[in-house]
Amino acid sequence: MEAVGPLLEDTKTRTTPMPGWMLLGPAFVAAIAYVDPGNVAANVSAGAQFGYLLVWVIVMANAMAGLVQYLSAKLGLVTGRSLPEVVADHTSTPTRIAYWIQAELVAVATDLAEVVGGAIALHLLFDLPLLLGGVITGAVSLLLLSVQNRRGQRMFERVITGLLMIIAIGFLTSLFVETPPAAEVAGGLIPRFQGAESLLLATAMLGATVMPHAVYLHSGLARDRHGHLQPGAIRRRLLRITRYDVGIAMLLAGAVNLAMLLVAATNLQGRDNTDSIEGAHAAVRDTLGPTVALLFAIGLLASGLASTSVGAYAGAMIMQGLLRRSYPLLLRRLVTLIPALVILAIGVDPSRALVLSQVVLSFGIPLALIPLVRLTSKANLMGDDVNHRVTTALGWGVAGLISVLNVVLIYLTVTG
């Protein structure tokens, strides 16, 4: 597919700048990764167990995500290559293969969350068996990917953005039914933990927000949408619009994530059987009514369907960039879909599997962030658009903080 540039030709073959709002879109596809079923499980569990304690984690993680996604998009626009391709260009073959293996494990954890979430939603809505729901979720993801293959990236962006709006409505509506207390929400902005379980959930929330596959994906989305532009005014304008694209998308995703936690903290705290999505859905129905519970389930379904298609898109980009060859879409889809279906078939608690999958994702974040920050800080690669020193420092800070949090999590889990 030929990349769509930021200029359009008029009938007299002169170029006129495309309105800025028409250049938005890639960040909204990447933002689906930040409102997937793993987010639902982690945020609802955090709110139900610890109330407003971990509000600060969502705010901090969303700010981190905005920086990371912009760096990824910038890399794609400036170099004309995706992050996996640039990593492959700067590593030896054994290192590249090893890097792909860990990225593939992260992709499996990603698909686990998304397929299981879609299966749970179909069970809540239509009482379908979880395994059948997982198969349907995987099949629908293939149909959504076919939109990108046949109709181009813009149409795919519109479909995914539409699903993002459904997700937002599904989870934001309940905030207007039972408004959370402002003082307690503000108190949740103070960073703190209450034992190893709160740290586990905080790590899961972080893994569900700063998603490794979205870091890889955004560089390719920006490149495929806008092309590889030479230095100058046009590229500077596009980078500026990309900052708006990322900012708006992350603001929407952050609002949805915060709504999940606040609804659980306001309505589910202290109630029994809220440590699963099914239990949370039942509690929402009992406290807020069947309409809100229906919207909750519809939002979860839209989340599972959209995120699994975006995750498969990212997986294909990662595999092609690091292994330097293309694979059939069906094969690529089955590689990560089968483990999720196995989890459903053997009867592992799906909500617990969702939370633990997000912890696995958090361990993959540094391996995506470290090369991203390093590469966007190289003047010989990025030219005039190399990271500012402050940006580089913030990028290394994000990678370092996540790494330390994971080490502490291991220690507390082993000793606890």
Side-chain angles (χ1 to χ4, degrees):
M1 182 182 67
E2 189 177 76
V4 180
L7 297 178
L8 291 176
E9 292 187 358
D10 62 19
T11 55
K12 297 181 180 180
T13 70
R14 293 178 300 175
T15 58
T16 56
M18 181 182 288
W21 65 269
M22 293 186 66
L23 300 175
L24 303 177
F28 286 83
V29 176
I32 284 292
Y34 298 96
V35 290
D36 77 347
N39 291 83
V40 181
N43 294 331
V44 169
S45 295
Q49 292 184 46
F50 297 100
Y52 305 96
L53 177 75
L54 299 178
V55 166
W56 66 273
V57 176
I58 289 180
V59 175
M60 182 181 70
N62 209 62
M64 290 180 178
L67 172 64
V68 168
Q69 294 306 137
Y70 174 68
L71 292 181
S72 178
K74 183 171 76 167
L75 179 71
L77 291 173
V78 172
T79 66
R81 298 177 69 74
S82 68
L83 175 58
E85 289 173 333
V86 181
V87 168
D89 292 341
H90 289 78
T91 55
S92 63
T93 299
T95 302
R96 179 164 50 85
I97 299 301
Y99 191 86
W100 168 74
I101 291 173
Q102 67 81 27
E104 195 66 34
L105 292 175
V106 167
V108 169
T110 300
D111 223 19
L112 170 63
E114 294 157 351
V115 173
V116 170
I120 293 174
L122 288 170
H123 175 70
L124 294 176
L125 288 168
F126 306 110
D127 201 26
L128 295 180
L130 289 176
L131 181 58
L132 177 59
V135 171
I136 292 173
T137 301
V140 172
S141 70
L142 279 172
L143 292 177
L144 291 176
L145 285 171
S146 69
V147 173
Q148 193 274 338
N149 288 335
R150 298 181 180 181
R151 301 292 301 275
Q153 186 170 326
R154 282 199 179 185
M155 181 57 69
F156 182 68
E157 287 176 3
R158 292 186 184 116
V159 172
I160 296 299
T161 301
L163 289 171
L164 180 59
M165 294 301 106
I166 294 174
I167 296 167
I169 293 170
F171 291 111
L172 288 172
T173 304
S174 52
L175 285 180
F176 298 97
V177 178
E178 186 68 33
T179 305
E184 293 192 42
V185 174
L189 295 172
I190 301 173
R192 62 197 190 279
F193 296 105
Q194 287 180 6
E197 182 66 18
S198 68
L199 183 55
L200 174 66
L201 282 172
T203 306
M205 292 163 68
L206 194 61
T209 303
V210 185
M211 297 283 277
H213 77 282
V215 178
Y216 299 119
L217 175 66
H218 205 161
S219 56
L221 287 172
R223 182 272 315 274
D224 292 345
R225 172 72 184 275
H226 303 300
H228 179 203
L229 302 176
Q230 296 303 311
I234 293 176
R235 193 163 83 183
R236 286 195 300 272
R237 175 177 180 259
L238 189 54
L239 287 171
R240 184 174 66 253
I241 292 171
T242 297
R243 286 194 288 271
Y244 285 109
D245 191 27
V246 171
I248 296 170
M250 290 300 102
L251 184 63
L252 178 58
V256 173
N257 279 319
L258 186 58
M260 296 173 191
L261 186 144
L262 295 181
V263 168
T266 304
N267 302 286
L268 309 184
Q269 191 177 7
R271 294 179 63 93
D272 295 330
N273 302 319
T274 56
D275 55 348
S276 67
I277 291 180
E278 297 96 323
H281 174 264
V284 167
R285 183 185 60 232
D286 293 341
T287 56
L288 299 178
T291 301
V292 173
L294 176 63
L295 291 173
F296 179 97
I298 291 173
L300 178 65
L301 178 60
S303 170
L305 296 178
S307 58
T308 193
S309 63
V310 170
Y313 187 179
M317 184 177 294
I318 292 168
M319 179 178 282
Q320 183 173 343
L322 291 171
L323 298 186
R324 292 176 171 169
R325 59 178 296 181
S326 181
Y327 293 86
L329 179 61
L330 181 60
L331 173 63
R332 170 59 240 172
R333 191 71 196 89
L334 291 176
V335 167
T336 54
L337 178 62
I338 289 176
L341 296 181
V342 170
I343 292 292
L344 292 173
I346 63 178
V348 174
D349 176 46
S351 294
R352 188 63 177 173
L354 280 175
V355 173
L356 291 178
S357 74
Q358 303 312 298
V359 177
V360 173
L361 292 180
S362 74
F363 284 93
I365 296 170
L367 294 171
L369 290 185
I370 289 171
L372 176 65
V373 176
R374 182 172 178 272
L375 290 168
T376 53
S377 302
K378 294 171 69 74
N380 61 342
L381 179 67
M382 302 296 291
D384 294 338
D385 295 305
V386 66
N387 289 345
H388 189 278
R389 290 180 181 178
V390 174
T391 303
T392 299
L394 289 173
W396 285 124
V398 170
L401 179 61
I402 293 172
S403 300
V404 169
L405 186 60
N406 289 332
V407 171
V408 174
L409 171 65
I410 295 173
Y411 174 78
L412 290 177
T413 302
V414 171
T415 59

